[in-house]
Amino acid sequence: MHPIVKLVSQRLALGLMLLFGASALIFGLTEALPGDAAQAVLGQSATPESLANLREEMGLDRPALTRYFEWLGGILQGDLGKSLTNKLDIAESVGGRLGNTLFLAFWAAIVSVPLAIFLGLLAVRYRNRWPDKVISAVTLTTISIPEFLIGYVLVYFVAVKLGMFSPLAMINDSMSLGQKLNSIALPVIVLTMVVLAHMMRMTRAAILNVMQSAYIETAELKGLTNFKIIYRHAFPNAIAPIVNVVMLNLAYLVVGVVVVEVVFVYPGMGQYLVDHVTKRDVPVVLACGVIFAAIYIGLNMVADIVAILANPRLRHPK
């Protein structure tokens, strides 16, 4: 078997094992929470008899392992199940919200990835000079501040005081693309500020590492400008670690939007998940958790596979 095929197969198998482990962990943690969906529906004043009847109706009277493996069997058949609290099909409820989350993450990536690579190249071009120091200081400051705090600050100053954007990021199918982009402007800014520093600093470090190579010295001796050396010779050879960190941050943009969606009341997966965690709606929490885990693990596998393909010793084995 070719080394690349073997390594990719191993990554895929590991990804499936991690996904199974993530689903079991999410189920266990949700079960460990105090109360259940029946208690959340009926409230604290419910009688033991009414709780017992509702638990039986919801299937919560069965052993936890039985419910988990029934849910797992449904997932393997493409059935996410039904919500315990409102009896709605989870797949239908998740569909639109997942699309909204991916829409938000997509536009955050469109802004943050090119900006991070550009700033990384700029920092290398002016290494140890004031542009490099300013870029590093500003990006490190933004990554050190919690995203919820950045969100509330932007809502107060940009939305309330300046009236530039809406404080609530509400979108629907009847809105035009321009209206949607205007509505999600603040969440996109928050997500960009959160992931920008990591990608920028990794781009800078990867290119500086390549700049120590012998062929870079040859390019310098040929009289090439610093910009051409960085752009034409260093950057292409630093793609693998840059792609790796970009994929990790794209995974965060999708999975880590929960806080941002709650702050801006955005109708995405994060808001949907938080609403049903408070209701102890285990099937919904499991479905959302597994979808988030699948996206995160999938993007990490893509990063691993790109790194494997970028290794010439694996592409051209002796």
Side-chain angles (χ1 to χ4, degrees):
M1 182 182 291
H2 194 283
I4 288 183
V5 176
K6 182 179 179 180
L7 285 172
V8 170
S9 301
Q10 290 174 347
R11 293 298 189 277
L12 292 174
L14 179 61
L16 291 175
M17 291 174 60
L18 287 173
L19 193 57
F20 172 76
S23 68
L25 181 62
I26 293 168
F27 181 83
L29 292 175
T30 308
E31 283 291 313
L33 292 173
D36 55 19
Q39 186 76 65
V41 170
L42 295 179
Q44 297 296 324
S45 59
T47 63
E49 292 78 10
S50 60
L51 279 174
N53 291 334
L54 187 55
R55 282 173 180 149
E56 183 178 359
E57 181 183 339
M58 291 180 169
L60 297 176
D61 57 328
R62 293 174 298 164
L65 282 179
T66 301
R67 289 186 280 116
Y68 171 71
F69 283 110
E70 284 183 359
W71 173 85
L72 188 62
I75 285 290
L76 295 176
Q77 299 175 14
D79 180 15
L80 294 179
K82 295 184 180 296
S83 168
L84 292 178
T85 53
N86 56 28
K87 305 301 181 183
L88 296 177
D89 186 76
I90 296 174
E92 293 181 3
S93 302
V94 163
R97 289 179 173 270
L98 178 59
N100 290 342
T101 293
L102 294 177
F103 179 78
L104 176 59
F106 171 79
W107 285 105
I110 288 293
V111 175
S112 61
V113 173
L115 183 59
I117 293 175
F118 170 75
L119 291 177
L121 291 170
L122 192 64
V124 173
R125 172 65 179 82
Y126 297 99
R127 178 179 39 172
N128 296 328
R129 293 160 65 181
W130 71 265
D132 180 23
K133 294 178 180 179
V134 169
I135 291 170
S136 296
V138 171
T139 52
L140 280 175
T141 300
T142 60
I143 201 174
S144 302
I145 303 174
E147 53 261 51
F148 72 87
L149 180 58
I150 298 175
Y152 286 129
V153 169
L154 288 178
V155 166
Y156 181 75
F157 287 103
V158 179
V160 177
K161 291 296 184 180
L162 300 179
M164 294 177 62
F165 299 108
S166 170
L168 302 180
M170 302 299 294
I171 65 171
N172 55 67
D173 294 336
S174 63
M175 299 171 67
S176 65
L177 178 60
Q179 290 173 325
K180 289 182 178 180
L181 293 179
N182 182 73
S183 182
I184 66 170
L186 292 183
V188 165
I189 293 172
V190 173
L191 289 173
T192 298
M193 294 174 70
V194 169
V195 302
L196 187 63
H198 193 199
M199 289 190 288
M200 185 282 297
R201 291 183 65 81
M202 188 61 194
T203 300
R204 180 184 182 277
I207 296 175
L208 286 177
N209 184 55
V210 173
M211 293 287 285
Q212 308 301 318
S213 304
Y215 67 88
I216 297 296
E217 294 181 8
T218 304
E220 291 173 346
L221 292 174
K222 287 181 178 180
L224 295 179
T225 64
N226 198 20
F227 177 77
K228 285 185 178 180
I229 292 172
I230 294 170
Y231 182 73
R232 292 185 179 178
H233 298 281
F235 180 66
N237 289 284
I239 283 292
I242 293 173
V243 168
N244 200 307
V245 76
V246 166
M247 287 298 173
L248 290 174
N249 281 276
L250 289 180
Y252 175 79
L253 284 177
V254 177
V255 178
V257 296
V258 176
V259 173
V260 175
E261 288 186 1
V262 171
V263 169
F264 292 98
V265 199
Y266 184 75
M269 284 279 289
Q271 183 72 51
Y272 182 64
L273 173 61
V274 170
D275 289 344
H276 285 81
V277 166
T278 59
K279 300 175 184 176
R280 304 295 185 268
D281 201 328
V282 177
V284 174
V285 175
L286 274 172
C288 293
V290 167
I291 291 171
F292 279 140
I295 293 172
Y296 191 85
I297 292 170
L299 288 173
N300 275 273
M301 282 197 299
V302 170
D304 284 344
I305 292 170
V306 169
I308 291 170
L309 295 177
N311 190 333
R313 289 176 296 179
L314 295 175
R315 292 201 312 268
H316 306 289
K318 294 181 180 180

